């Protein structure tokens, strides 16, 4: 008998079947991370196994499941490539004296009382210009963390300000992948999308500026760091590297390249090359061999000063393998869940709860957060809810910008708050700090979705099919 005719036709999952997989994954991650303190990789693999078993129960063959996993991984290949080259960039820039020079001059200029505001503004401008939160955190973020350590700042607060600024730019920049992806999924154009986001995002951004200002002036009201410690760090950096303003050229080149619409990957690669060339010219211990080694294994430093060694022992492609492997495993799970409609049936079940526009917007944001947690890749949290709810917004007479703003205000920014999400993993690998440490201080990332819902009751984040905000129609 023909094998094709015998093949079982896949069916849609029942709600309880899909729920079993999600509950199992969440349970494994919770037990692994919270109870035993292990990395999320193996618990996530168990979740992949559960999703695969359920898929085969639904009638999919193993070849189908394998194809879904590979398809999921392929969607994250750009992220994986960026992870790899950011790792190389950090290693090369450390070896070439680029990051140490950024830290050195930052220690001279920045003061503790204004540091958090400055960190957020610097990362906001960089991310707006480049369109990449990852590139911003991997360059400016690394340097600012070093400056923060030198000034004696709380590392969680420092990372929170860096991440808030980086994700503000990622959310608002027309060069950002997510800023282009969200309106595409919702069915609107990018300029309408950005225009609609300006008001609610500006409100949250202003709150963040006030918060970080108060935090800096209250926590570090003396206004000055331990001068002896700062001088010790600066002297150590000068002894290890040739510090001069020319070393600041590579980050400027990266920002200008991406601002001129050079894609992120070649733009960051230009940064690697420019850093290597400047390092070969100015650093006595920098050679082609050390560039290759630091690009692969990261930079190692043994200055005898704990803060310097902790800061500069970083970077390299191999140190990014934690993030790369997590991304691959996460996308294996995400690929299965998306292609077999296991998350979709749950959302379809709860759609009926969204009787009013505010309810639909809240449900959209909740779905984005859930997607970030169970199909842990930022892009999926925009694509899946965007596809699922676009028609529902039309039926309720709401503009596509209402949906696209909801996607960005939750899917884009909350990805950094999930430890096993590719964004959370990237931040841990790059800034060397966990979600539990920076999460409470990443104000923009958790306040944005909350504010979007609150502003929906006021009619600010909800617009009719003509794009008119409901708050304007009430006047």
């Amino acid at each position: 008998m023909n094998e094709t005719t015998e093949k079982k036709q896949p069916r849609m999952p029942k709600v309880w079947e899909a729920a079993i997989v999600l509950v199992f994954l969440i349970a494994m991650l919770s037990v692994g991370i919270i109870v035993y303190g292990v990395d999320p990789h193996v618990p996530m693999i168990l979740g992949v196994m559960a999703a695969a078993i359920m898929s085969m129960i639904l009638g999919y063959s193993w070849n189908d499941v394998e194809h879904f996993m590979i398809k999921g991984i392929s969607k994250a290949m750009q992220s994986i490539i960026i992870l790899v080259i950011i790792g190389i960039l950090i290693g090369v820039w450390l070896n070439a004296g680029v990051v140490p020079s950024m830290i050195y001059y930052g220690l001279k200029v920045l003061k503790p009382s204004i540091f958090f505001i400055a960190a957020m503004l610097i990362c906001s401008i960089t991310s707006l210009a480049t369109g990449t939160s990852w590139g911003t955190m991997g360059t400016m973020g690394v340097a600012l963390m070093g400056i923060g350590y030198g000034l004696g700042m709380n590392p969680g607060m420092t990372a929170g300000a860096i991440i808030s600024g980086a994700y503000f730019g990622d959310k608002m920049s027309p060069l950002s992948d997510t800023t282009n992806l969200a309106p595409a999924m919702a069915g609107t154009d990018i300029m309408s999308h950005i225009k609609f986001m300006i008001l609610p995002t500006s409100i949250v951004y202003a709150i963040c500026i006030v918060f970080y200002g108060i935090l800096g002036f209250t926590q570090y009201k003396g206004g000055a760091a331990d001068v002896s410690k700062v001088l010790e760090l600066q002297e150590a950096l000068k002894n290890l590297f040739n510090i001069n303003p020319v070393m600041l050229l590579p980050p400027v080149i990266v920002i200008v390249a991406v601002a001129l619409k050079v894609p992120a990957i070649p733009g960051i690669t230009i940064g690697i090359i420019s850093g290597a060339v400047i390092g070969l010219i100015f650093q006595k211990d920098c050679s082609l061999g050390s560039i290759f080694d630091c690009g692969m294994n990261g930079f190692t430093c043994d200055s005898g000063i704990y803060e310097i060694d902790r800061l500069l022992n970083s970077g390299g492609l191999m140190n990014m393998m934690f993030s790369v492997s997590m991304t691959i495993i996460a996308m294996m799970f995400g690929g299965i869940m998306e292609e077999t409609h296991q998350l979709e049936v749950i959302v379809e079940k709860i759609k009926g709860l969204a009787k009013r526009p505010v309810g639909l917007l809240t449900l959209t944001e909740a779905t984005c957060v859930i997607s970030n947690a169970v199909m842990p890749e930022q892009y999926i949290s925009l694509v899946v809810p965007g596809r699922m709810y676009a028609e529902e917004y039309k039926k309720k007479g709401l503009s596509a910008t209402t949906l696209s703003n909801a996607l960005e205000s939750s899917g884009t920014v909350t990805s950094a708050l999930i430890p096993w999400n590719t964004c959370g993993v990237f931040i841990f690998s790059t800034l060397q700090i966990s979600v539990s440490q920076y999460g409470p201080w990443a104000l923009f990332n958790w306040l944005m979705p909350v504010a979007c819902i609150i502003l929906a009751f006021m009619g600010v984040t909800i617009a009719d099919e003509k794009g008119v905000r409901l708050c304007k129609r009430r006047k």
Side-chain angles (χ1 to χ4, degrees), residues 28 93 202 242 406 468:
M28 289 300 98
W93 278 15
S202 298
N242 177 6
V468 179

Side-chain angles (χ1 to χ4, degrees), residues 289-353:
S290 69
I291 289 171
F292 289 160
D293 182 59
C294 292
M296 180 68 177
N297 300 306
F299 182 76
T300 55
C301 179
D302 187 18
S303 68
I305 300 175
Y306 172 75
E307 291 84 357
I308 290 290
D309 294 344
R310 177 184 178 183
L311 172 64
L312 299 185
N313 286 309
S314 182
L317 186 153
M318 291 308 296
N319 286 327
M320 279 296 178
M321 286 302 104
F322 179 97
S323 300
V324 170
S325 59
M326 187 65 238
T327 301
I328 291 172
I329 297 168
M331 295 310 295
M332 287 164 60
F333 182 82
I336 295 173
M337 294 297 286
E338 182 176 10
E339 296 298 324
T340 59
H341 312 286
Q342 292 188 54
L343 182 63
E344 182 181 338
V345 295
I346 294 177
V347 177
E348 286 291 335
K349 186 70 176 178
I350 62 177
K351 257 187 186 179
L353 300 175

